[in-house]
Amino acid sequence: FLAVAAAAGRWPGRAVAAWLPLALLLGLLGMALGVILGTLHVYLRDVAHATAVALQVGFWLTPIVYPVEALPEAVRPWIARNPLAPLVGAFQQVVLRGDWPAWASLAPLGLAALVSAGAAYLLFRRLGAEMADVL
């Protein structure tokens, strides 16, 4: 993507350095939720179906393929409730505008990622040894 941006003359400048902490935050959250859902799926098979539905709904409630400004005012509060919206907005801020993200808006998501990672660790430590027998 960055190669295409550079070729199109839309290089985000020094703000591209913000990608690393944003990607680490996204990776930590994704890893934590993946371990939690993967561990639960061993014991509760319906987790896979619920995850598929939640991902579909979450995709459309996250402003990835559309800007928030394109939505009607009545819908914007729903987007604001999405915990991933500030992270996606931060990536868009860097890529589309070449500006630094508003780091303070990512603090709740950072805390959620750390808590999720801790919960994933504890859950896997508790249930991981029995997973081979269940499978």
Side-chain angles (χ1 to χ4, degrees), residues 13-112:
R14 293 190 303 197
V16 76
W19 269 39
L20 181 60
L22 294 174
L24 289 174
L25 177 60
L26 181 61
L28 178 65
L29 186 64
M31 182 272 317
L33 293 178
V35 169
I36 290 170
L37 292 172
T39 302
L40 290 177
H41 176 66
V42 171
Y43 299 97
L44 306 167
R45 298 296 178 175
D46 289 339
V47 168
H49 303 295
T51 301
V53 171
L55 282 174
Q56 189 69 255
V57 170
F59 174 78
W60 290 110
L61 289 178
T62 305
I64 297 171
V65 295
Y66 56 86
V68 176
E69 296 81 21
L71 297 173
E73 285 292 328
V75 179
R76 292 182 190 182
W78 288 97
I79 302 299
R81 290 184 184 115
N82 184 342
L84 288 179
L87 183 60
V88 170
F91 275 112
Q92 290 172 345
Q93 188 76 14
V94 170
V95 174
L96 300 177
R97 296 176 191 92
D99 293 333
W100 289 95
W103 296 109
S105 69
L106 298 172
L109 186 61
L111 180 62

Side-chain angles (χ1 to χ4, degrees), residues 101-130:
W103 296 109
S105 69
L106 298 172
L109 186 61
L111 180 62
L114 289 174
V115 168
S116 297
Y121 174 77
L122 293 174
L123 183 67
F124 189 77
R125 293 276 298 171
R126 172 99 165 95
L127 300 176
E130 303 166 8

